[in-house]
Amino acid sequence: MTPIELEKRAFELADKLIDGEKLSKDDFALLIRAERELPEENAAALREKLSKRALELKQLHYGNAVYVRGLIEVTNYCKNNCLYCGIRRGNPTVSRYRLTKEQILSCCAEGYALGFRTFVMQGGEDAYFTPERVADIVREIKRNYPDCAVTLSLGEYPKEVYALWREAGADRYLLRHETANAEHYSKLHPAEMMLETRMDCLKNLRSLGFQTGCGMMIGSPYQSYETLAEDLVFIRDFRPQMVGIGPFIPAHDTPFANEKAGTFEQTLFFLSIVRILLPEVLLPATTALGTIHPHGREMGMLSGANVCMPNLSPADVRSKYSLYDNKLYTGSEAAQSLNDLEKRLETIGCNIAFVRGDSKLTE
Ligand code: SAM
């Protein structure tokens, strides 16, 4: 295919996508290829076409509101050894920590006073956080703040465990699928981790009534146009309430330490496509996006994102939850600097909504 044919076909497919037509995996792969391979001017026009539509859809469903979530990184101990992740079990240079129940509750108290109405408990898969211990913390948060939502992001567990957490009051669960292609999954994870297990977890979470989030890194090693196309087909068909998309950023002392980071532009392109595929989705402009570009959060919002997750972890542990190098945790990434975030959002005509911000996506 000549560059001219590629451009023509990509713009036709963008029109189809905007019109709500169903694209095939090959169509998505071509669109993704065009964004990478067309001359920058044409690629930028393609991105702009999709971001314009994504922004319209976001405004239609959410207006100028940005939902904020207080992110509490409860532990950086992890039994897993994901090749990309800075807190993988095999990284000996990580200074490990875990928060106590009291510390987590005091993060919530501080967050509540700041205006947060969703708390996200995220962490590595740490045996200290037994199913009952997590359930107990969730119950306590819900007892203290019945008007708040609790999101968990603690990794893979059997259905019974998810059910216990749901009964304890957890509302949402974030578990990125990382890639919808089994071979690619096996190159990002050690042999004991399987895509099938991840997908079963996601289905279980959904069936238990969690607002469920999947997602992937953009630019992870061994990713291809085809694997990314499979991600989009999966996201469209699974219809998650939330999608976490951020660039892959290498982390020192991991097998992928010397790999290239994902690009800012491609990440924005995917935010727009996902907003168009699922107009009512909750879509964060991630910390990773803020890390690779000084205006990452704002540009993410202009490309279709509508959620921000400032860091509410105790200040002394923030630097230890280093999933990748140079991860931001100060300035507008810090929950304490909501004013700073608000000012940045004002520059693009958005404002923070101090509400739970549930998903509007129905079955
Ligand atoms: N253990 C839980 C899990 O696996 O879902 C939650 C924590 S995990 C560290 C959260 C997310 O961080 C992962 O889903 C992954 O996509 C992202 N992440 C890990 N390493 C990363 C890297 N080097 N660059 C960008 N994102 C990364």
Side-chain angles (χ1 to χ4, degrees):
M1 196 179 271
T2 65
I4 292 179
E5 283 165 350
L6 178 63
E7 183 187 351
K8 184 166 173 287
R9 185 76 189 120
F11 277 85
E12 279 167 13
L13 290 172
D15 280 328
K16 272 187 157 190
L17 186 66
I18 288 170
D19 291 343
E21 281 183 53
K22 201 168 173 175
L23 299 198
S24 68
K25 183 189 143 191
D26 288 348
D27 291 341
F28 279 126
L30 187 137
L31 199 58
I32 296 162
R33 180 177 154 206
E35 190 277 331
R36 291 283 79 192
E37 294 184 10
L38 285 177
E40 178 47 28
E41 200 181 323
N42 303 342
L46 185 64
R47 282 193 293 270
E48 211 175 302
K49 186 176 180 70
L50 294 183
S51 69
K52 186 167 169 275
R53 180 61 182 154
L55 194 55
E56 276 168 17
L57 288 168
K58 180 183 78 163
Q59 301 226 282
L60 181 70
H61 295 287
Y62 296 101
N64 293 325
V66 170
Y67 295 148
V68 286
R69 298 15 179 137
L71 179 62
I72 308 169
E73 296 158 335
V74 296
T75 176
N76 70 356
Y77 282 90
C78 191
K79 75 171 172 63
N80 289 332
N81 223 5
C82 307
L83 276 72
Y84 46 83
C85 187
I87 62 166
R88 69 199 298 268
R89 178 185 77 223
N91 186 346
T93 62
V94 178
S95 158
R96 304 281 172 178
Y97 76 90
R98 54 173 70 96
L99 302 183
T100 62
K101 176 181 173 183
E102 290 65 35
Q103 283 177 303
I104 296 170
L105 289 170
S106 91
C107 291
C108 294
E110 187 182 6
Y112 192 86
L114 289 166
F116 288 94
R117 293 298 177 266
T118 289
F119 303 115
V120 182
M121 278 172 62
Q122 189 182 81
E125 291 188 28
D126 177 0
Y128 168 86
F129 281 98
T130 58
E132 193 39 59
R133 192 169 258 144
V134 172
D136 175 56
I137 297 169
V138 172
R139 276 188 220 106
E140 191 73 16
I141 299 175
K142 295 294 281 193
R143 207 175 10 249
N144 293 347
Y145 310 103
D147 54 335
C148 291
V150 171
T151 304
L152 298 178
S153 179
L154 299 171
E156 295 178 350
Y157 285 89
K159 189 170 184 183
E160 308 78 70
V161 174
Y162 289 148
L164 175 73
W165 294 344
R166 180 84 186 108
E167 279 155 29
D171 303 274
R172 310 187 191 126
Y173 204 101
L174 299 173
L175 181 68
R176 289 187 178 179
H177 65 286
E178 312 294 358
T179 169
N181 177 286
E183 199 188 324
H184 185 211
Y185 195 91
S186 73
K187 290 182 176 161
L188 299 180
H189 300 96
E192 68 268 18
M193 290 178 74
M194 277 179 313
L195 179 61
E196 208 185 331
T197 315
R198 182 72 42 137
M199 292 300 188
D200 284 346
C201 285
L202 283 166
K203 283 177 200 141
N204 288 338
L205 288 161
R206 256 206 106 137
S207 73
L208 289 163
F210 279 101
Q211 293 172 45
T212 304
C214 63
M216 68 281 183
M217 296 174 285
I218 302 298
S220 64
Y222 308 106
Q223 193 171 59
S224 65
Y225 302 146
E226 285 71 29
T227 66
L228 282 166
E230 284 180 60
D231 289 323
L232 292 176
V233 170
F234 168 67
I235 289 170
R236 178 188 65 202
D237 295 346
F238 184 61
R239 292 180 57 74
Q241 285 89 356
M242 306 173 282
V243 178
I245 289 182
F248 159 74
I249 304 175
H252 63 275
D253 296 307
T254 65
F256 293 159
N258 298 319
E259 298 286 338
K260 273 204 320 236
T263 73
F264 183 60
E265 291 76 17
Q266 198 181 19
T267 308
L268 298 181
F269 187 61
F270 273 81
L271 289 175
S272 299
I273 295 177
V274 169
R275 169 65 63 202
I276 296 170
L277 289 174
L278 302 173
E280 295 175 305
V281 78
L282 295 168
L283 194 60
T286 57
T287 306
L289 188 63
T291 299
I292 61 165
H293 192 283
H295 295 292
R297 293 259 161 138
E298 298 93 302
M299 294 293 286
M301 298 298 161
L302 291 174
S303 303
N306 70 324
V307 174
C308 255
M309 297 169 66
N311 197 315
L312 195 51
S313 308
D316 60 325
V317 303
R318 280 182 199 176
S319 64
K320 296 181 182 167
Y321 197 80
S322 54
L323 306 181
Y324 44 82
D325 295 344
N326 307 315
K327 177 168 166 271
L328 294 185
Y329 49 87
T330 55
S332 46
E333 296 297 328
Q336 290 72 10
S337 312
L338 276 183
N339 284 349
D340 193 67
L341 179 64
E342 182 105 61
K343 276 195 207 117
R344 280 168 173 260
L345 293 175
E346 268 170 18
T347 65
I348 52 160
C350 291
N351 55 276
I352 297 177
F354 291 98
V355 294
R356 274 176 57 123
D358 284 297
S359 164
K360 295 182 181 171
L361 202 72
T362 47
E363 289 300 311

